[in-house]
Amino acid sequence: MNMELLISVLGMTATRLPILIALAISVVWVIDTPRTTVRDVALWSLILLAVATVAGLVLNLVPIWLVQQGNYESIRSLSMWLGVGHFVLGLLEALGVVLLVWALTRTLRARNVAAAG
């Protein structure tokens, strides 16, 4: 791996690092709660968000790696597939957020019912 590619990888990783740290902390918090369906859904949503974040990082590295290899023709033909990949990752992130908000609202509603009763 040459130095330019390494610097690109480190730069892209640094831009995703805050969200990865936040997701890791969130997973630790969720694991420390009692095991329920809501906890499982929240945990899976956080894992889904982390996987989508890492996959997005890898997907963004593919064109940089191809340029470093001097494989310019592959980049042109890969453009559509990269767009599809980013779209699928966007759908996974959206699903992760929806599941996380579902778990949060379910917990908040249960807390309000317990406080009112």
Side-chain angles (χ1 to χ4, degrees):
M1 184 183 296
N2 73 28
M3 191 58 118
E4 291 175 13
L5 183 59
L6 182 63
I7 290 172
S8 295
V9 169
L10 290 175
M12 285 186 177
T13 304
T15 61
R16 305 238 182 199
L17 196 57
I19 192 69
L20 289 172
I21 291 170
L23 288 169
I25 291 169
S26 299
V27 166
V28 170
W29 285 346
V30 170
I31 285 176
D32 194 34
T33 61
R35 189 174 181 102
T36 63
T37 304
V38 174
R39 173 201 176 251
D40 291 342
V41 169
L43 188 59
W44 277 107
S45 69
L46 291 169
I47 291 169
L48 186 65
L49 288 169
V51 167
T53 300
V54 172
L57 173 66
V58 171
L59 198 59
N60 284 331
L61 291 175
V62 170
I64 294 170
W65 180 72
L66 289 173
V67 166
Q68 291 295 321
Q69 299 297 318
N71 201 348
Y72 301 107
E73 289 300 317
S74 295
I75 294 173
R76 260 188 248 143
S77 63
L78 198 63
S79 176
M80 181 188 76
W81 291 110
L82 289 173
V84 169
H86 283 290
F87 178 75
V88 169
L89 289 176
L91 288 175
L92 288 177
E93 288 177 345
L95 177 63
V97 169
V98 167
L99 289 173
L100 191 59
V101 170
W102 176 85
L104 178 64
T105 21
R106 181 110 182 230
T107 301
L108 289 173
R109 286 180 184 158
R111 179 175 280 174
N112 283 342
V113 168

